[in-house]
Amino acid sequence: MGIKGISVIGTLLASLACVNVANADETPATNASQAPLASCYLKNISEQVLCGELAVPENYDQPEGRQITINYAVLPAVSESKKADPLLILAGGPGQAATELAAMINRMFSDVRKQRDILLIDQRGTGKSHPLSCELNHVDELVKADDDMQLDRIAGECLAQFSEEDLTQYHTVNAIRDFEAVREHLGYSQVNLYGGSYGTRAGLVYMREAPNSVRAAVLDAVAPPEVVVGPFGRHGAQSFELLLEQCAESKACTATFPNLEQTYANTLASLESQPVPLTVADPLSNEDTEILITAGRFTSVMRVGLYHPTTRQMLPYVIQQTGLGNYTPLVGLLGSAMSQSEMYMGLTLSVLCSEDLPRATERLLAEDGNNSFIGSRTADAFIEMCSVWPQAPRPEAWFEPVYSDIPTLLLSGRLDPVTPPTWGALAAQSLSNSRHLIAPNGSHTIAGHTCANKLVGQFIESLDAQALDDSCLKNQKPAPFVLNANGKGL
C-alpha cells in the first residue's frame, strides 16, 4: 500500500524549520574580495547582510544555451580581521533553500561568524535560484482516504508547471558547479563546508568534484552517494525501537504508557480498517475544515516526529491519546509539520528520481518495507511520484565512495530516523582525515540541538578533529517524555 497523505509530501525529507527571505533593497555593497553585492535583509535577522545573484547555464554542456539565476547571501564576519575562507552552507532535502535557513544558521554558527563569512547559496531549483515550487491544496487532500490519494497525479500537476525547463539538469553535480561558479565570482579561494542531511551528499560530491576548493568539511546526518535516499521505513523503525526502549527504561513513561508498542500497533490497525473523519481548525488558516485521520497520516506524523527531540518526546502521549480517540495532539503535530515552509518538490523529485530511486533494488525495497512501524510507505510514495517525473541515467561513478584526505568532521545522532550512524561510518571508510562523532541522544542534524555546533566552530578553526572533546555529546541527557497535556514529565 502506497503512502497516502499530503503531509508526507512536505515532510518526507525536511526536518529543519525553514524561514523565508525578505526582499532585498538595492543599496550597493562589496565584500572583502570586492565582488559586487547588494545590502539586504533576511527574515528574522535584524542587521543588513549582503545578497547577490549569478547567471549560469542550465545545461553546462551547452554554455551558450538557456541561463538560470543562482541566488546567494553572505552573512559577513563580525571581525574586521576575518579569515579568508567562509563557511558554505549546503541545505538539506533535497529541496531546501539555504537562504531560507539564514536565521537558524546565524544562531547555530554564531561562533564561526565571529571570524568568517557565512555563505548561503540557494541550490538550483530552490529559493530564488529558478525555483521548482509547486502549489498544492493541502486541505483538499486531507479529506481523502489513503488509497484515494494519487501522488502520481500530484507530481504530474507539479511537472506541468515546468514546460520550458530541462528538469534532468537539476541534479547534485550541476549544483556543485553552480556553487563553484559563485565561489569564484565572490573571490573566495577556498571554502569550508557544512552540509546537513542531503547537504552531506552535496558536500561529498563537492569534495570529489572540486577538492582544491574545499579547506574542510563538516557533514551532519550523513547520506553518502553510495546509499539510496527515499526508502526510510527500516531506519524509521529502528529509531522507533529506540524510543520504545527508552520509554521502557523510564518508570514514569512505563507507568503512564504501558504496552506502548502494542498500543501503537492497535491504533495503526484500527485506522487502517476504519479512518476517522474530523472537523478541526485548518492547520494553516485556522478555519474549520474536514480532515480524515488515516493510517498513512498517523505513521507520517510519527516518523517525522522522530526527527527532533522536542517532537520525539511527545510521541508516546500522542500514540496513547490517538488510541483513546483523542486526536487533538496528533492534529497538532500534523499542523506543525504543515506550517513549515514547503520544500521545493520539483527539485526534490528531479534529484531523487534520477539519482536514487533507480538504484532501489527489489531486495532493498523488501528489506526497507519489512517493519511494523511504517512499512514501505516512504519508498512507495517516491516510486509513485517518480513514475511520471523526467529521469535521466546517471554515471555509476557518481555513486561510488568519495575518497579524500580533506579534514572532515562527520556527525551522527544515534536516534536519527532517516540517516543512521552506520551511514556516517560508511562514509568515514574512504575519508582518511576524518573523525566520526555520534550523539547518543541526538537525532537528525545534531548541530541544531546538541553542542555539536560548538564543536563545528572549533574544528573549522583548528582542522584537528582528533583533538575535539566530544564529552558534551556523550553527557547530554535524553529529553524527558511528555506525560500529559499539561507537560508533566518535563
Side-chain angles (χ1 to χ4, degrees), residues 148-169:
D148 292 336
M149 286 285 295
Q150 296 176 312
L151 298 185
D152 54 351
R153 175 187 58 79
I154 292 172
E157 292 175 355
C158 178
L159 176 62
Q161 301 180 38
F162 308 112
S163 58
E164 298 181 0
E165 290 81 359
D166 180 358
L167 296 177
T168 66
Q169 296 300 320

Side-chain angles (χ1 to χ4, degrees), residues 119-196:
L119 175 58
L120 306 163
I121 307 174
D122 289 342
Q123 182 172 343
R124 59 168 56 197
T126 74
K128 295 182 179 179
S129 294
H130 202 87
L132 302 179
S133 57
C134 296
E135 296 297 328
L136 303 172
N137 191 330
H138 295 273
V139 177
D140 285 354
E141 302 296 339
L142 287 172
V143 300
K144 293 183 178 180
D146 285 349
D147 289 334
D148 292 336
M149 286 285 295
Q150 296 176 312
L151 298 185
D152 54 351
R153 175 187 58 79
I154 292 172
E157 292 175 355
C158 178
L159 176 62
Q161 301 180 38
F162 308 112
S163 58
E164 298 181 0
E165 290 81 359
D166 180 358
L167 296 177
T168 66
Q169 296 300 320
Y170 291 77
H171 55 70
T172 306
V173 172
N174 272 353
I176 302 310
R177 291 167 176 158
D178 297 340
F179 297 160
E180 270 290 273
V182 172
R183 179 194 62 78
E184 293 178 0
H185 172 67
L186 292 176
Y188 297 116
S189 60
Q190 282 191 315
V191 294
N192 304 284
L193 304 178
Y194 171 82

